[in-house]
Amino acid sequence: MEQTVEQKLKALWAWQSIHTKVDKIRQVRGELPIEVADLEDEIAGLETRNEKIRSELDELEDSIVSRKNMIKDAQAAIKKYETQLNEVKNNREYDAITKEIELQGLEIQVCEKRIREAEFEINNKTELYETTEGNLNYSKGELDVKKQELENITSETQKEEDSLLKEAEASENNIDDRLLKVSNKLRKSFRNGLAIVSIERDSCSGCHNKIPAQMQSEIRQRKKILVCEHCGRILVDEEIASEES
């Protein structure tokens, strides 16, 4: 059976009233869900940063070990060449061995320089790692507190919210698809989630702009669905609002 406009308006107001109760429950949680999500993202970022620093520290430490081994090899080569100097038979051999000793000496100097640079970088990265670790531990502590707060609030209101959401879903059966689609779109358009509003003190209770007297009269007749000319919300008269509140 086709619904009358009055029945449609009452169904819309009932649907909106249920969602308004759900919105109020969620408002109690405030910004906590967002804060928890932000902290989780921050912690993930800090953990990724410290993993990268730890990897870089490992590479630097490996490079120091490698350079120290190269120094040992160069020192062993120098000793070998110095022994060979005692056995040279001409100036050409002497010059060649002396050149090799010089090259190995330069290799040692380069390795020692790279070791000093790596040690300096290790000190800087270790300091950064410790700072990041401190921030990470602090953020984890904050997250535990926020999660507990959110869990406490949610546990107190979840049962009521679930019941209301089921009620809201059931109420959609009384609203035709086109009106429901429009109403859902309106709800998403406004931060307070109000798609269907009443007349209050001759004004739209959604945007608080005055409603012309002629339009108020038409709304009270419940012959057609009218929207606020300023905000586009669907309007119902005061009596429907009071009946369903």
Side-chain angles (χ1 to χ4, degrees):
M1 184 177 175
E2 180 70 23
Q3 282 183 315
T4 64
V5 171
E6 182 175 354
Q7 288 171 328
K8 289 179 180 180
L9 288 169
K10 286 184 176 182
L12 283 170
W13 182 256
W15 174 85
Q16 175 66 70
S17 298
I18 297 165
H19 277 292
T20 298
K21 290 175 185 176
V22 173
D23 292 341
K24 285 179 180 176
I25 288 172
R26 290 175 176 172
Q27 282 170 12
V28 173
R29 296 173 198 161
E31 298 294 315
L32 275 175
I34 296 170
E35 289 174 13
V36 166
D38 287 346
L39 279 167
E40 287 173 338
D41 289 343
E42 182 183 334
I43 286 167
L46 291 170
E47 286 175 337
T48 300
R49 184 191 302 175
N50 258 7
E51 284 172 13
K52 185 172 182 292
I53 295 170
R54 185 67 263 172
S55 176
E56 290 169 350
L57 284 169
D58 289 341
E59 288 176 10
L60 287 167
E61 287 163 0
D62 288 344
S63 74
I64 288 174
V65 171
S66 177
R67 295 288 181 184
K68 285 181 176 178
N69 288 332
M70 290 169 68
I71 288 172
K72 286 179 184 178
D73 292 342
Q75 288 171 337
I78 288 171
K79 284 183 181 179
K80 183 185 76 172
Y81 290 133
E82 286 175 344
T83 301
Q84 290 176 1
L85 277 177
N86 298 325
E87 300 171 2
V88 295
K89 297 175 181 178
N90 54 55
N91 287 338
R92 190 178 66 179
E93 286 182 8
Y94 181 87
D95 290 342
I97 292 171
T98 302
K99 184 67 174 175
E100 287 297 332
I101 291 172
E102 288 177 0
L103 288 173
Q104 294 300 324
L106 286 172
E107 178 72 8
I108 290 170
Q109 289 177 28
V110 169
C111 286
E112 288 174 340
K113 182 174 183 291
R114 294 287 181 263
I115 288 171
R116 287 194 298 272
E117 289 171 350
E119 287 173 341
F120 178 77
E121 203 166 344
I122 283 173
N123 287 334
N124 288 339
K125 287 188 181 295
T126 299
E127 187 177 331
L128 179 59
Y129 182 91
E130 289 171 353
T131 300
T132 305
E133 191 70 12
N135 292 337
L136 183 58
N137 290 333
Y138 177 80
S139 294
K140 283 181 176 178
E142 284 287 289
L143 179 61
D144 288 342
V145 171
K146 297 289 183 185
K147 274 187 170 179
Q148 188 59 55
E149 287 179 21
L150 183 57
E151 187 179 326
N152 291 342
I153 293 171
T154 302
S155 63
E156 292 169 3
T157 58
Q158 193 64 55
K159 188 176 179 181
E160 183 183 358
E161 182 180 343
D162 291 343
S163 174
L164 285 168
L165 287 172
K166 285 180 182 177
E167 196 178 330
E169 188 177 352
S171 74
E172 292 177 0
N173 295 326
N174 300 320
I175 304 169
D176 70 55
D177 291 342
R178 185 185 63 81
L179 272 177
L180 185 61
K181 187 176 179 181
V182 170
S183 300
N184 274 315
K185 188 175 179 181
L186 281 169
R187 259 183 62 74
K188 291 173 184 176
S189 300
F190 301 108
R191 288 187 65 185
N192 60 12
L194 294 177
I196 295 91
V197 295
S198 63
I199 301 170
E200 287 183 8
R201 297 176 185 175
D202 300 325
S203 300
C204 165
S205 62
C207 65
H208 307 295
N209 280 293
K210 286 284 183 184
I211 300 171
Q214 177 60 36
M215 188 175 183
Q216 288 187 51
S217 175
E218 290 177 10
I219 291 168
R220 292 186 181 104
Q221 289 173 24
R222 305 174 188 175
K223 299 296 183 185
K224 54 185 174 180
I225 293 173
L226 297 169
V227 300
C228 173
E229 59 188 16
H230 299 283
C231 66
R233 291 177 171 95
I234 296 171
L235 292 163
V236 301
D237 61 83
E238 306 94 317
E239 284 188 21
I240 285 181
S242 63
E243 286 171 10
E244 299 292 334
S245 61

